Amino acid sequence: MERAEVTDILGERSPLTVGLLTIFVVAALYPLSRHNYLLYHGIVELSGIAVSLTFASIGWNTRSFARNDTLLVLAMAYLPVSIIDFMHVIGYKGMGVFPGNSSDPATQLWIAARYLESAGLLWAASLLGRRCHLRPGQLLGYCLSAGLLVVVLIVHWRIFPVCFVEGVGLTPFKVGSEYLICLLLTGAGIFFWRRRRHFDRRLLHLMLASVAVTILSELSFTLYDDVFGVSNIVGHIFKLFSVVLVYLALVRGSLTFPYRSLFRELASELAQRKASEEQLQTANCELDAFVHTVSHDLRTPLTMIIGCADYLQATCKEQLAEEKYDILGDIVKSGRSMTTMMEDLLTLAKVGSLKPPTIPVNTEAVVCGVLLELAGALAETGVRVEQGTLPAIRIPQSQLRQIFSNLLENAMRYGAAGGLIEVGGDCEGEVVRFYVCDHGPGIPEDERGHIFDLFYRGSTGEGVRGSGAGLAIVKKVAQLYKGRAWVDETLGGGATFWVELAAGGSDSWEKL
């Protein structure tokens, strides 16, 4: 099929083609209706049913492409409508399916189907501009359940209001229902128009045309007093065209427009993401420069303050009162604490700026180096460290050192004096886990979720030295390598800190 032909079918151009096609269909169907109404009725209705089932299938199978629920609701709403319309066809007067050869059951099925159709159009129009939230399976179940309920009410329980009385014509319920359905359709048309910015222009025109033709169809069905009358014939033709227009809208909305829209939106999203990444990179550079500047500008005067206070404390001890001498000691202690905090913040800011090494880092050697630096403190507290197997890993050595330095210092501060600290790890697939276990007082369960927050100090940290940034650094390093950090209770009392790291590739981890 040539491109121009497809364009005509989708209604994008050549109104003359559509007009000629309409005239041809009417010219062929109207004489048939006067010669054999049941055949005419069957052809028109079955054609509409086939179209409805086709776009229900299209809507279901293209549900993963949809950016909102409108087209899916339309497709699923027309599925039970097509089933009820089929029952309307086989139950029509003269077909001999329903007992009594009455026109009422077929008319009841017709009006029930139009209620479902208009409600589906109104619902679909109200969802324009909203992201997908409906579950397709549940929506299909709801629509089929509504159709089944209608059929049971009419065919089995026979409690649906009477719509047609032989020899009298349409009942007030039938006529009033047609006007109510027209009102629902008008509401759908208003929704479509008010939310037209969410619609492709040609798709909007198709939907509005379908609503208008459906209203004309319903108005035609308020006028007949004979189910084989002219107004009934005209109403069925209008109804067929309304379904075809919805079908064209669904084809364009589900197949043509989304692909074009999808690539346009993807290009827009990629441009926005690139701009966001550039802004983030600029912000990170500015933040890094700010941290280094603040660190340098604060460290120089702070070093002077600590040095001067330390000098006065060392040289003027005899001339100073005990109270003033203690104040100098507090100045030195506070200054060194502030220096440690600045260094920790600088370390936190640097996390992520280092590239992973090309070969795995010997974790056991890193831990031995950390323990050598802490040898004096370990001897002073009498704490023993038991080191187990530690897998090698491809992350910068300085960041690996930060993990174990902070965890071991934390275990020494909060663990039991003269107690035991256990260090170990394992490798499972693409994930490496390290642990540092102490046997101290432990961490209350309600505080474990906050223990890795920056500057957070739990109830067991009163009087313990530290900046409060160490565990936050551990957490940030873990998150940088798609991992996590958490704490559990040690069996028998104490805290066990876990760090899990994942690099996303099987060649990222190696055991020595």
Side-chain angles (χ1 to χ4, degrees), residues 398-459:
S398 59
Q399 292 180 342
L400 194 59
R401 181 189 170 281
Q402 282 292 331
I403 290 175
F404 286 103
S405 177
N406 284 300
L407 291 180
L408 286 168
E409 286 183 15
N410 184 79
M412 279 197 320
R413 292 192 190 106
Y414 296 95
L420 174 67
I421 297 176
E422 300 169 61
V423 184
D426 58 41
C427 178
E428 183 179 340
E430 299 179 1
V431 176
V432 168
R433 295 184 190 89
F434 298 117
Y435 65 86
V436 174
C437 171
D438 68 62
H439 298 272
I443 300 170
E445 190 172 353
D446 59 341
E447 296 181 8
R448 293 175 192 170
H450 304 284
I451 201 69
F452 290 92
D453 295 346
L454 186 61
F455 301 136
Y456 181 83
R457 301 178 71 87
S459 57

Side-chain angles (χ1 to χ4, degrees), residues 141-413:
Y142 293 149
C143 291
L144 290 178
S145 297
L148 178 62
L149 177 62
V150 166
V151 172
V152 170
L153 288 175
I154 296 173
V155 178
H156 182 65
W157 291 338
R158 299 182 182 180
I159 58 175
F160 197 85
V162 175
C163 294
F164 188 88
V165 178
E166 299 293 342
V168 177
L170 301 175
T171 65
F173 170 77
K174 167 66 164 62
V175 176
S177 292
E178 297 286 11
Y179 288 125
L180 178 57
I181 290 167
C182 289
L183 185 62
L184 293 175
L185 292 170
T186 302
I190 293 172
F191 267 120
F192 282 129
W193 177 254
R194 292 184 63 178
R195 302 188 180 187
R196 59 189 179 277
R197 66 187 181 89
H198 300 291
F199 244 163
D200 175 68
R201 180 174 59 85
R202 295 181 183 88
L203 193 153
L204 173 67
H205 291 166
L206 287 170
M207 289 306 304
L208 290 177
S210 173
V211 170
V213 172
T214 306
I215 290 174
L216 290 175
S217 172
E218 298 308 314
L219 292 176
S220 298
F221 288 121
T222 63
L223 303 175
Y224 71 89
D225 52 12
D226 180 6
V227 292
F228 302 112
V230 174
S231 63
N232 204 319
I233 295 171
V234 173
H236 277 89
I237 293 176
F238 280 142
K239 190 255 184 181
L240 174 61
F241 278 113
S242 72
V243 174
V244 171
L245 288 169
V246 175
Y247 168 77
L248 295 179
L250 189 68
V251 169
R252 178 172 173 77
S254 294
L255 301 179
T256 308
F257 179 69
Y259 282 110
R260 188 168 63 204
S261 173
L262 177 62
F263 287 112
R264 184 169 61 243
E265 290 182 13
L266 283 176
S268 175
E269 289 176 6
L270 288 173
Q272 291 177 0
R273 181 173 295 182
K274 184 177 180 181
S276 299
E277 288 176 353
E278 290 175 351
Q279 292 174 358
L280 181 60
Q281 187 175 7
T282 302
N284 285 336
C285 291
E286 292 175 351
L287 179 60
D288 191 52
F290 172 76
V291 170
H292 281 81
T293 301
V294 170
S295 175
H296 178 271
D297 291 347
L298 287 179
R299 188 177 295 174
T300 301
L302 192 57
T303 302
M304 181 67 71
I305 292 171
I306 295 171
C308 290
D310 202 19
Y311 173 77
L312 288 173
Q313 198 176 26
T315 59
C316 302
K317 183 175 182 179
E318 301 298 331
Q319 292 89 343
L320 295 174
E322 184 178 352
E323 182 181 349
K324 294 179 180 179
Y325 181 83
D326 291 340
I327 290 175
L328 288 174
D330 291 338
I331 292 173
V332 173
K333 186 186 298 183
S334 298
R336 287 175 178 164
S337 177
M338 190 171 181
T339 301
T340 302
M341 184 178 296
M342 282 195 304
E343 290 174 352
D344 285 343
L345 288 175
L346 190 59
T347 300
L348 192 64
K350 287 181 179 178
V351 172
S353 62
L354 301 175
K355 292 184 178 179
T358 56
I359 60 174
V361 174
N362 188 329
T363 308
E364 292 182 356
V366 171
V367 173
C368 287
V370 172
L371 291 175
L372 190 61
E373 293 174 3
L374 299 175
L378 289 170
E380 184 180 342
T381 58
V383 172
R384 294 179 299 109
V385 178
E386 186 178 288
Q387 182 177 328
T389 303
L390 291 162
I393 185 173
R394 281 197 186 105
I395 72 171
Q397 184 171 324
S398 59
Q399 292 180 342
L400 194 59
R401 181 189 170 281
Q402 282 292 331
I403 290 175
F404 286 103
S405 177
N406 284 300
L407 291 180
L408 286 168
E409 286 183 15
N410 184 79
M412 279 197 320
R413 292 192 190 106

